Amino acid sequence: MSQQLPPGQIATVKWPILHEGDVYQFDEASWSFKLFGAIEEELSLSFSEVMTLPKLQKTVDMHCVTTWSKFGTTFEGIPFREFIKLIKPHSDAKFIRIYGYLDDDPYGYSANLPLDALLGDDSLFVYRWKDDTHDWANISPKHGYPLRFIPPDTFYLWKGTKWVSGIEFMTEDQAGYWENRGYSMTANPFKEERFSDPDSKPSGFFGADEWKD
Ligand SMILES: Nc1nc2c(c(=O)[nH]1)N[C@H]1C(S)=C(S)[C@@H](COP(=O)(O)O)O[C@H]1N2
Ligand SMILES: [Mo]
């Protein structure tokens, strides 16, 4: 809830919508959440199993690399750390990728993050939200229903995978969808880490100006 505007960002009141591909249509029967990679035993959870995990509410800021920032959105969700309690990561598993749908592929989208940055209350798999002008509601399909990740505000929002399908544990920091297309591995908005090479902005920059209030 820092309400600090990172360099090069513009505050918006609206909650813009940005993603690649189609909006995922939730189907509980085929939905699962998988924990895999550098862990002792892989685990697959149903939607009802995920929803029995401990939850909390937290007000956070969101910073999109296309330059909009939205302050003060309150989310209800399951802390990332609750999933770690269900498995035994290898001792050298220092990074993760959070996967989500891209069109019909449940693992088509992903974003990498360092594990040790995700253990606080500001690292949430969310399903409900509110803000100053909206009462509590489920996350809409376009924003990631039934479940999407919200990263700590020290990461740009592309690290916030929508329509999540699982967490991969990794011993090396491996790129996700946008990181493979020229975006930063570390992605700290307050250091303006937008691109992996600050001198060459990737082509196919997404987002345009549609979000402006
Ligand atoms: N599955 C999936 N998750 C995604 C994306 C995507 O293309 N696919 N786009 C990311 C980007 S670039 C941003 S800025 C946020 C936008 O979330 P919002 O549309 O709810 O504002 O979702 C992120 N999560
Ligand atoms: Mo984004």
Side-chain angles (χ1 to χ4, degrees), residues 132-143:
D132 287 346
T133 54
H134 299 85
D135 203 353
W136 281 110
N138 284 340
I139 299 287
S140 69
K142 288 178 180 177
H143 283 301

Side-chain angles (χ1 to χ4, degrees), residues 17-25 100-106 108-110 141-144 162-163 177-178 181 204 206-207:
I17 292 161
L18 273 105
H19 54 257
E20 298 276 290
D22 299 333
V23 172
Y24 167 67
Q25 300 299 318
Y101 277 83
L102 176 60
D103 294 328
D104 293 329
D105 181 359
Y109 188 85
S110 66
K142 288 178 180 177
H143 283 301
K162 305 202 269 194
W163 313 300
Y177 184 85
W178 286 115
R181 289 162 178 77
F206 57 93

Side-chain angles (χ1 to χ4, degrees), residues 18-19 63-66 68 109 156-159 178 206-207:
L18 273 105
H19 54 257
H63 308 298
C64 174
V65 72
T66 62
W68 60 263
Y109 188 85
Y156 283 114
L157 192 59
W158 86 76
K159 304 280 186 182
W178 286 115
F206 57 93

